[in-house]
Amino acid sequence: MTQAGAQEYLLAPGDRIEVSVFARPDISKQYRIRTDGTISMHLIGSIQAADLSPAKLETRIEARLGVFFDEPVSTTLEVADWRPVVVSGDVMEPGAIVFRPGTDVRAALAEAGGAIRGLPTGDSGSAMRVQSEVGDLAQYEARLAPLLAERSRLIGETTTGQEPTDGRDPVLAAMEDLVGGEVAAELVAAQALLAERETQQSILEKAARQTQQALAASEADAYGTRQEIIGEQLALTRDELIKQEELLERRISIASKVLDLRQDATSLRSEELEAVGLQAAAEQKRDRAIAGQQLAEATRARDVAVRLTQLEAEITELNARIAQSRVFIENFGGAALLMDAKVRTETYMVYRRTGTGLRRQEVGADMLLHPGDILEVTVATEPLGQ
């Protein structure tokens, strides 16, 4: 069968396919599509491969081979290597990258080392040092954004919180300044989903403990009622026993009846003690369920407080490093290197060969690329403060 997801792409010169024919190892091998768009196989000779999907080429090969065999031929085709994607323009490492189905502009840009930032002119050693500091700054900012989102979520869990007077979340605004609006929104959404899941889990656990409390309380009440009934029966039995013992002394009652009453009294007393013990056990179970809920809430509050303390320390450290990096870069590399999402624009242009020629299209970062695409990246920046 053809590779999952590969059917949406068309084969072209440069792609390498692997053909497997059942019981025919002599023709089961890898083939590179030649510049004329064909491959050459034993028995069937040259066959057109370019501009076909892998699934359609597989069907054609199977049909051509069927001419030479009496039985149906089982053939599978997979793409071993697609044509590479070429990334050019304002990237750190321009050149060809390996194409994999599902590769989008963002993934290709990452493999090319990301978009470039400006470099100071002059001493190459200083330029490398500044460029390294720019990379460190980007990492600090990328690490800080999710920490801010997590801290905001945990604070929201412990306090009621109030809407900003200007209607804009200051935490989200800070994150947007660090990593851009799209990434910031994704981080906030991820934290919101996590908060929702934790709330749902807490509700379920609390409901389970409340059910345990209710069951234990009902059980304790039942044993208490049972104890009262047995107590009443025991009192009546003891009263009757006293009467019969008095009658026995006057030889009006018989000894066997007194003996039976004594045994009944002993049995009822045993059941009464058992009911007392079971009631105490049920009450203890209820108290444990109540204590478990209180302990769970206290443990969660403690864990949140500990994590908030850790986050404050990490955020403070990263803010200090970001401030130091910005000062260093501005002093030695110029303010043009301190670009954020508001003043830095990246444009992505894709060049794709079609049956009618080379098609040029401006795309977004989530655009899926095709084998053989040329991705041109252009970065436009303005210094901070303009």
Side-chain angles (χ1 to χ4, degrees), residues 10-28:
L10 298 182
L11 297 167
D15 292 334
R16 186 159 53 93
I17 61 174
E18 183 169 354
V19 179
S20 178
V21 183
F22 180 72
R24 289 306 303 262
D26 55 323
I27 55 178
S28 297

Side-chain angles (χ1 to χ4, degrees), residues 354-366:
T354 64
T356 57
L358 192 64
R359 183 164 62 91
R360 178 175 179 268
Q361 179 184 3
E362 184 175 345
V363 300
D366 295 326

Side-chain angles (χ1 to χ4, degrees), residues 1-3 16-31 39-44 54-55 57-63 65-66 69 72-80:
M1 297 297 294
T2 308
Q3 282 179 320
R16 186 159 53 93
I17 61 174
E18 183 169 354
V19 179
S20 178
V21 183
F22 180 72
R24 289 306 303 262
D26 55 323
I27 55 178
S28 297
K29 59 179 67 177
Q30 293 186 352
Y31 299 89
I39 60 172
S40 180
M41 295 183 63
H42 183 53
L43 294 180
I44 64 176
L57 178 58
E58 176 184 297
T59 301
R60 286 195 178 183
I61 292 174
E62 196 168 75
L65 288 173
F69 301 98
V73 180
S74 176
T75 305
T76 60
L77 183 148
E78 294 185 353
V79 179

Side-chain angles (χ1 to χ4, degrees), residues 135-207:
D136 290 344
L137 175 60
Q139 291 183 17
Y140 297 151
E141 292 175 341
R143 286 167 54 191
L144 178 59
L147 295 182
L148 292 175
E150 183 182 1
R151 182 180 67 175
S152 178
R153 173 178 63 83
L154 293 178
I155 291 176
E157 182 177 332
T158 57
T159 61
T160 303
Q162 297 180 350
E163 291 293 330
T165 55
D166 61 356
R168 189 185 185 203
D169 185 350
V171 176
L172 179 59
M175 292 169 58
E176 289 174 346
D177 291 339
L178 291 170
V179 294
E182 183 178 353
V183 176
E186 291 175 356
L187 291 173
V188 170
Q191 289 295 325
L193 179 60
L194 179 58
E196 181 181 357
R197 289 177 177 174
E198 288 181 346
T199 300
Q200 291 175 348
Q201 181 179 355
S202 177
I203 291 173
L204 291 175
E205 291 176 351
K206 186 174 182 179

